Amino acid sequence: MEEKALLRVENLHVTFEPKARAVRGVSLEIREREVHGLVGESGSGKTVTSSAVMGILPEPPARINMGKIIFKGKNILELEEEEKRSIRGKEIAMVFQEPAKYLNPAFKIGEQIGEMLRLHLGMSRSEALERTLEILGLVGLGADKRILNSYPHELSGGMKQRAMIAMAISCNPSLVIADEPTTALDVTLQRQILKLIEKLKESLNMSILFISHDLGIVREIANKISVIYAGKIVENAGKEELFEKPLHPYTKLLLLSIPDPEKRGRRLKSIPGKVPDASSVPSGCAFHPRCPIAEDICSAEEPPLVPVKAGENVRGLHLVACHFTGKKWIE
Amino acid sequence: MNRLVEIKNLTKVFKGSGFLDTGGKSVTAVDRVSFDIEKGTIFGLVGESGCGKTTLARVSLFLEKPTSGDIIFDSVNLCKLSTKKLKSFRRRMQIVFQDPNSALNPKLKIETSLSEGLKNLRVPQGERREKVEHLMELVGVSPGAKVKYPHEFSGGQKQRLVIARALTMDPDFLVLDEPVSNLDVSIQAQIINLLLDLKDELSLTYLFISHDLNLVSYLSDRIAVMYLGKIVEIGSEREIISSPLHPYTIRLLNSVPGKKRAHPTPGVATGEQAASGATRGQVKKGGLPFRGCRYFDKCPIRSSECLESEPELIDAGDEHAVACFNIKNPSP
């Protein structure tokens, strides 16, 4: 059952003044009802990519130099501000890592959700109130008036994140961008929020771009995964395929470096060096200074993100950007 | 085996001032906690934010005075020492914090930061320099970088330097409070490997505090699970991970992302557990006058007994202890 593409990012380039190349040609595709995990470390361009999609990049200093963001068949980079505004928040909504930072501390939760509904859907106050209660019920905040009349500071961390999610889904968006939505939460809460997101996705028919640095969490929730390194997607595949047969050295090492009780007594595989700064991205393949199999070509030429030849070992479309895809090098 | 650290009935109460929302109530951050750490081992302490892990770490290093209880370090009871005598023990126990950015003074060169402790001990300058350079080398930062300031290093390097600084005192015991939580995934393994190498090389003993069960079980010989200021389960890594008993430990294990290793909750037939309501999801702030078990609200196997009195740790065999009334056959 092939769903059609809801969002297609094509060769997106974003620079920050004066010379930081934060996103260097990101391409990704999110289909309807897909949960797409975007995994990368801090500074890899995850948030810049999603901010560009959402249309909330601070320009300047940021600048989109090249690329297209096609949402429902239209390139949103070419739309008028007015049209963009009708998409932002309504068709594409966002859930942030720190709900405390994005909820307005001076307004009650009910007012903040109600504002979205009145602004985007033109509801009246009483309609908005009714719908707000319904949404709060959906996210597990109980459809009672207590939460409605609470200020953000009166809620716990988990409840704030639920309120944030309520706000994001209030206008029935087709795409929700969740930027590290569980990173600031405790493990048991994390599990609850992930379950909630999964449940909402099913009942509301949304697609989700799920951004995280944590491969474990992405494994839990995504069906498709893109790995981003230094502003470029280095690997993209279905979840099982990626976890079972990672092909890019970065993905491989990242998976091997995760501590696990089964690795007790052995040293973890670690990736030498550090994450490159966006203002001094290495030439050629950005990963080459840290890569155990790099050769001369890797510092000279940037490998394109291309499909692995279909064979008995490849399930679905599996894209990798490496000159030595398929080379054996790790036990 | 000999014990390096013995914590006995340690309690820390923070007195409320009546300012803001404490209403003058006091908060029991650590409540009658006891455990031992054997020389040369890693003791893992797991719990969620607000459960008192960090307070326990600070109190067991005597950075804060315990309200009651004993801390026995290398057979000496620190609670009974004079401030002066205590000082000679302090150098043998050091701590590494979570955030290397706030642990290093941004205005001091690395060399100055790292030799501060030695200066206090009146170590001559030449020796100080030698030691700092040696330690920088040991943690994998080029000694030539000692004239730089903290902002010139990456997060991983800063954490290496913080570790080096802790080592300048030649400690026997290191408390590591979430030492890799602030680092990038690809850097975490580097620091963990470094800590393991240092432990072997310098025969150190670690108290490793983290919310990450995967990490703690990878590293630790023994593990204690803390909930609202109290240890609810303690045992060897094997016991805790493969046969957990306390419902909270089971819940933590089942929450580890990316794992499909479901432990059945004792007494519950289906996977649906009691804690599904939104308001139940958070760790309650301390300070409530507990009667009964503090996990009662969220517990899937609670009974009326749990409201009457608080369960204490009882032996479950194999040096495994659990604080719960409703575990079947806790004794071997």
PDB file of all heavy atoms in Angstrom, chain B residues 2-18:
ATOM      1  N   ASN B   2      36.853  -5.852  50.356  1.00  0.00           N
ATOM      2  CA  ASN B   2      36.604  -4.881  51.415  1.00  0.00           C
ATOM      3  C   ASN B   2      35.814  -3.676  50.910  1.00  0.00           C
ATOM      4  O   ASN B   2      35.909  -3.290  49.755  1.00  0.00           O
ATOM      5  CB  ASN B   2      37.899  -4.442  52.082  1.00  0.00           C
ATOM      6  CG  ASN B   2      38.970  -4.161  51.073  1.00  0.00           C
ATOM      7  OD1 ASN B   2      38.747  -4.363  49.879  1.00  0.00           O
ATOM      8  ND2 ASN B   2      40.092  -3.667  51.510  1.00  0.00           N
ATOM      9  N   ARG B   3      35.059  -3.181  51.816  1.00  0.00           N
ATOM     10  CA  ARG B   3      34.183  -2.075  51.466  1.00  0.00           C
ATOM     11  C   ARG B   3      34.950  -0.769  51.535  1.00  0.00           C
ATOM     12  O   ARG B   3      35.673  -0.522  52.479  1.00  0.00           O
ATOM     13  CB  ARG B   3      33.023  -2.011  52.443  1.00  0.00           C
ATOM     14  CG  ARG B   3      32.125  -3.193  52.274  1.00  0.00           C
ATOM     15  CD  ARG B   3      31.112  -3.215  53.386  1.00  0.00           C
ATOM     16  NE  ARG B   3      30.325  -4.424  53.252  1.00  0.00           N
ATOM     17  CZ  ARG B   3      29.712  -5.000  54.260  1.00  0.00           C
ATOM     18  NH1 ARG B   3      29.777  -4.482  55.460  1.00  0.00           N
ATOM     19  NH2 ARG B   3      29.022  -6.092  54.058  1.00  0.00           N
ATOM     20  N   LEU B   4      34.718   0.069  50.523  1.00  0.00           N
ATOM     21  CA  LEU B   4      35.349   1.386  50.548  1.00  0.00           C
ATOM     22  C   LEU B   4      34.374   2.405  51.137  1.00  0.00           C
ATOM     23  O   LEU B   4      34.739   3.233  51.952  1.00  0.00           O
ATOM     24  CB  LEU B   4      35.743   1.804  49.131  1.00  0.00           C
ATOM     25  CG  LEU B   4      36.461   3.140  49.033  1.00  0.00           C
ATOM     26  CD1 LEU B   4      37.805   3.067  49.724  1.00  0.00           C
ATOM     27  CD2 LEU B   4      36.637   3.556  47.588  1.00  0.00           C
ATOM     28  N   VAL B   5      33.128   2.289  50.738  1.00  0.00           N
ATOM     29  CA  VAL B   5      32.122   3.237  51.210  1.00  0.00           C
ATOM     30  C   VAL B   5      30.963   2.473  51.817  1.00  0.00           C
ATOM     31  O   VAL B   5      30.469   1.518  51.237  1.00  0.00           O
ATOM     32  CB  VAL B   5      31.598   4.090  50.030  1.00  0.00           C
ATOM     33  CG1 VAL B   5      30.594   5.115  50.527  1.00  0.00           C
ATOM     34  CG2 VAL B   5      32.735   4.774  49.302  1.00  0.00           C
ATOM     35  N   GLU B   6      30.556   2.876  53.000  1.00  0.00           N
ATOM     36  CA  GLU B   6      29.345   2.320  53.592  1.00  0.00           C
ATOM     37  C   GLU B   6      28.420   3.471  53.958  1.00  0.00           C
ATOM     38  O   GLU B   6      28.805   4.361  54.708  1.00  0.00           O
ATOM     39  CB  GLU B   6      29.680   1.537  54.871  1.00  0.00           C
ATOM     40  CG  GLU B   6      30.393   0.236  54.630  1.00  0.00           C
ATOM     41  CD  GLU B   6      30.910  -0.349  55.934  1.00  0.00           C
ATOM     42  OE1 GLU B   6      30.078  -0.764  56.769  1.00  0.00           O
ATOM     43  OE2 GLU B   6      32.131  -0.351  56.134  1.00  0.00           O
ATOM     44  N   ILE B   7      27.254   3.431  53.410  1.00  0.00           N
ATOM     45  CA  ILE B   7      26.260   4.458  53.726  1.00  0.00           C
ATOM     46  C   ILE B   7      25.231   3.795  54.621  1.00  0.00           C
ATOM     47  O   ILE B   7      24.697   2.734  54.275  1.00  0.00           O
ATOM     48  CB  ILE B   7      25.573   4.952  52.430  1.00  0.00           C
ATOM     49  CG1 ILE B   7      26.590   5.452  51.412  1.00  0.00           C
ATOM     50  CG2 ILE B   7      24.518   5.989  52.733  1.00  0.00           C
ATOM     51  CD1 ILE B   7      27.213   6.765  51.724  1.00  0.00           C
ATOM     52  N   LYS B   8      24.978   4.399  55.766  1.00  0.00           N
ATOM     53  CA  LYS B   8      24.069   3.759  56.711  1.00  0.00           C
ATOM     54  C   LYS B   8      22.958   4.704  57.128  1.00  0.00           C
ATOM     55  O   LYS B   8      23.224   5.732  57.736  1.00  0.00           O
ATOM     56  CB  LYS B   8      24.837   3.308  57.954  1.00  0.00           C
ATOM     57  CG  LYS B   8      25.670   2.079  57.666  1.00  0.00           C
ATOM     58  CD  LYS B   8      26.180   1.450  58.934  1.00  0.00           C
ATOM     59  CE  LYS B   8      26.855   0.142  58.588  1.00  0.00           C
ATOM     60  NZ  LYS B   8      27.982  -0.147  59.447  1.00  0.00           N
ATOM     61  N   ASN B   9      21.734   4.333  56.776  1.00  0.00           N
ATOM     62  CA  ASN B   9      20.571   5.086  57.236  1.00  0.00           C
ATOM     63  C   ASN B   9      20.664   6.577  56.970  1.00  0.00           C
ATOM     64  O   ASN B   9      20.265   7.394  57.796  1.00  0.00           O
ATOM     65  CB  ASN B   9      20.387   4.895  58.738  1.00  0.00           C
ATOM     66  CG  ASN B   9      19.416   3.778  58.985  1.00  0.00           C
ATOM     67  OD1 ASN B   9      18.412   3.676  58.269  1.00  0.00           O
ATOM     68  ND2 ASN B   9      19.717   2.952  59.953  1.00  0.00           N
ATOM     69  N   LEU B  10      21.192   6.924  55.845  1.00  0.00           N
ATOM     70  CA  LEU B  10      21.442   8.325  55.546  1.00  0.00           C
ATOM     71  C   LEU B  10      20.134   9.060  55.238  1.00  0.00           C
ATOM     72  O   LEU B  10      19.319   8.598  54.441  1.00  0.00           O
ATOM     73  CB  LEU B  10      22.387   8.413  54.342  1.00  0.00           C
ATOM     74  CG  LEU B  10      23.109   9.737  54.153  1.00  0.00           C
ATOM     75  CD1 LEU B  10      24.072   9.959  55.308  1.00  0.00           C
ATOM     76  CD2 LEU B  10      23.875   9.727  52.848  1.00  0.00           C
ATOM     77  N   THR B  11      19.950  10.198  55.887  1.00  0.00           N
ATOM     78  CA  THR B  11      18.746  10.999  55.671  1.00  0.00           C
ATOM     79  C   THR B  11      19.142  12.445  55.482  1.00  0.00           C
ATOM     80  O   THR B  11      20.046  12.938  56.151  1.00  0.00           O
ATOM     81  CB  THR B  11      17.804  10.889  56.891  1.00  0.00           C
ATOM     82  OG1 THR B  11      17.440   9.525  57.040  1.00  0.00           O
ATOM     83  CG2 THR B  11      16.552  11.726  56.697  1.00  0.00           C
ATOM     84  N   LYS B  12      18.514  13.092  54.510  1.00  0.00           N
ATOM     85  CA  LYS B  12      18.737  14.527  54.358  1.00  0.00           C
ATOM     86  C   LYS B  12      17.383  15.223  54.280  1.00  0.00           C
ATOM     87  O   LYS B  12      16.571  14.928  53.403  1.00  0.00           O
ATOM     88  CB  LYS B  12      19.544  14.798  53.087  1.00  0.00           C
ATOM     89  CG  LYS B  12      19.756  16.268  52.783  1.00  0.00           C
ATOM     90  CD  LYS B  12      20.717  16.909  53.757  1.00  0.00           C
ATOM     91  CE  LYS B  12      20.779  18.426  53.565  1.00  0.00           C
ATOM     92  NZ  LYS B  12      21.596  19.067  54.609  1.00  0.00           N
ATOM     93  N   VAL B  13      17.171  16.117  55.201  1.00  0.00           N
ATOM     94  CA  VAL B  13      15.934  16.889  55.216  1.00  0.00           C
ATOM     95  C   VAL B  13      16.274  18.339  54.916  1.00  0.00           C
ATOM     96  O   VAL B  13      17.190  18.899  55.527  1.00  0.00           O
ATOM     97  CB  VAL B  13      15.236  16.791  56.593  1.00  0.00           C
ATOM     98  CG1 VAL B  13      13.959  17.610  56.612  1.00  0.00           C
ATOM     99  CG2 VAL B  13      14.937  15.340  56.924  1.00  0.00           C
ATOM    100  N   PHE B  14      15.593  18.911  53.950  1.00  0.00           N
ATOM    101  CA  PHE B  14      15.771  20.344  53.700  1.00  0.00           C
ATOM    102  C   PHE B  14      14.638  21.069  54.398  1.00  0.00           C
ATOM    103  O   PHE B  14      13.469  20.789  54.165  1.00  0.00           O
ATOM    104  CB  PHE B  14      15.738  20.636  52.208  1.00  0.00           C
ATOM    105  CG  PHE B  14      16.955  20.137  51.479  1.00  0.00           C
ATOM    106  CD1 PHE B  14      16.883  19.018  50.670  1.00  0.00           C
ATOM    107  CD2 PHE B  14      18.174  20.785  51.607  1.00  0.00           C
ATOM    108  CE1 PHE B  14      18.001  18.551  50.004  1.00  0.00           C
ATOM    109  CE2 PHE B  14      19.306  20.331  50.945  1.00  0.00           C
ATOM    110  CZ  PHE B  14      19.213  19.210  50.142  1.00  0.00           C
ATOM    111  N   LYS B  15      15.022  21.997  55.253  1.00  0.00           N
ATOM    112  CA  LYS B  15      13.999  22.739  55.982  1.00  0.00           C
ATOM    113  C   LYS B  15      13.359  23.769  55.072  1.00  0.00           C
ATOM    114  O   LYS B  15      14.057  24.532  54.412  1.00  0.00           O
ATOM    115  CB  LYS B  15      14.644  23.447  57.180  1.00  0.00           C
ATOM    116  CG  LYS B  15      15.024  22.503  58.286  1.00  0.00           C
ATOM    117  CD  LYS B  15      14.050  22.635  59.458  1.00  0.00           C
ATOM    118  CE  LYS B  15      14.004  21.368  60.307  1.00  0.00           C
ATOM    119  NZ  LYS B  15      15.299  20.776  60.633  1.00  0.00           N
ATOM    120  N   GLY B  16      12.042  23.779  55.017  1.00  0.00           N
ATOM    121  CA  GLY B  16      11.358  24.784  54.222  1.00  0.00           C
ATOM    122  C   GLY B  16      11.388  26.110  54.941  1.00  0.00           C
ATOM    123  O   GLY B  16      11.315  26.171  56.174  1.00  0.00           O
ATOM    124  N   SER B  17      11.498  27.190  54.170  1.00  0.00           N
ATOM    125  CA  SER B  17      11.582  28.499  54.802  1.00  0.00           C
ATOM    126  C   SER B  17      10.219  29.168  54.821  1.00  0.00           C
ATOM    127  O   SER B  17      10.035  30.225  55.398  1.00  0.00           O
ATOM    128  CB  SER B  17      12.546  29.375  54.010  1.00  0.00           C
ATOM    129  OG  SER B  17      12.060  29.503  52.696  1.00  0.00           O
ATOM    130  N   GLY B  18       9.262  28.561  54.157  1.00  0.00           N
ATOM    131  CA  GLY B  18       7.971  29.228  54.040  1.00  0.00           C
ATOM    132  C   GLY B  18       7.946  30.160  52.855  1.00  0.00           C
ATOM    133  O   GLY B  18       6.941  30.756  52.515  1.00  0.00           O
TER     134      GLY B  18
END
